[in-house]
Structure formats: structure tokens, C-alpha cells
Amino acid sequence: TCVCVLVVQGHAVSQRLGAVSLVGQILLSSPSNANGAEGASMGTHFAETYGGLFQSFLERFIDKQAQVRLQMVKIAECAVARHVHDNLPAMVGGGQKGGSLVVQQLLERLA
């Protein structure tokens, strides 16, 4: 029975890693708008539309497994870096203040 428990726990970790990776890919997806307007991405839209799922995703920052927490940090760093890269001209020119709520929540978890 001890071996079965380890397999089940390992399976649960791989499921959480897979779920984190999937939501991370969506968050890091390219802009959804065809005209290239600043700030809007499919990931931001997803997080705002499916707020409960995004909040569950954010809870993985305090997962009991280090692998899952490290994956979350990588995704959050990439999402924040991408947001800054995509919106830097507007941020420097004063056209945008603060950034998206999604990015703000990721930054809070990284702090």
C-alpha cells in the first residue's frame, strides 16, 4: 500500500504541474486582437473571464511541492516580463499607469 500511495501522490503532483503549465501557456499566449492594440492578450482575457480558475492557479504559489512553486515563479516572471515588453512605450510615455490586474496579482505573489 505504501507504493500505491507514493504513485498516487506523484500522479497528483504531475497533474498539478500539467494544470499550471496549461494555464501558464494561456497566460503567455500572444495578443488576441488582430490590429495589435497594446495591452490586450488572450491570457489577460482568459484570467479576467475565468477569475475562479485564475485564482486557483494563483494558489499554486503556495503548493506543498517545490516543483509546482518553481513552475509558478517561472510563469509569473515570463508573464510580467512580457507585459513590460509589450507595453513599455505606453508605460514610458505615461499612457498607461500600473498595468493589468492580472500582472499586479502575479507581482504580489512574486514579492
Side-chain angles (χ1 to χ4, degrees):
T1 59
C2 188
V3 173
C4 292
V5 170
L6 291 175
V7 170
V8 169
Q9 287 177 345
H11 184 66
V13 171
S14 66
Q15 282 182 335
R16 292 194 312 271
L17 277 170
V20 161
S21 295
L22 177 63
V23 174
Q25 287 176 2
I26 294 169
L27 288 175
L28 296 172
S29 62
S30 59
S32 61
N33 46 352
N35 63 2
E38 296 170 7
S41 73
M42 188 168 83
T44 301
H45 178 72
F46 171 82
E48 292 168 353
T49 304
Y50 301 100
L53 181 59
F54 182 67
Q55 291 305 316
S56 294
F57 171 75
L58 291 176
E59 290 173 9
R60 294 297 107 207
F61 273 106
I62 56 172
D63 195 275
K64 59 187 171 185
Q65 293 294 320
Q67 294 169 289
V68 176
R69 293 190 309 268
L70 288 172
Q71 184 70 11
M72 288 296 299
V73 169
K74 289 177 188 176
I75 291 167
E77 288 175 339
C78 288
V80 170
R82 178 156 191 178
H83 175 78
V84 169
H85 176 269
D86 291 349
N87 296 290
L88 189 57
M91 294 166 80
V92 171
Q96 181 179 11
K97 294 184 171 65
S100 76
L101 181 61
V102 171
V103 172
Q104 289 174 7
Q105 289 177 333
L106 291 172
L107 284 171
E108 288 172 5
R109 300 307 194 291
L110 285 171

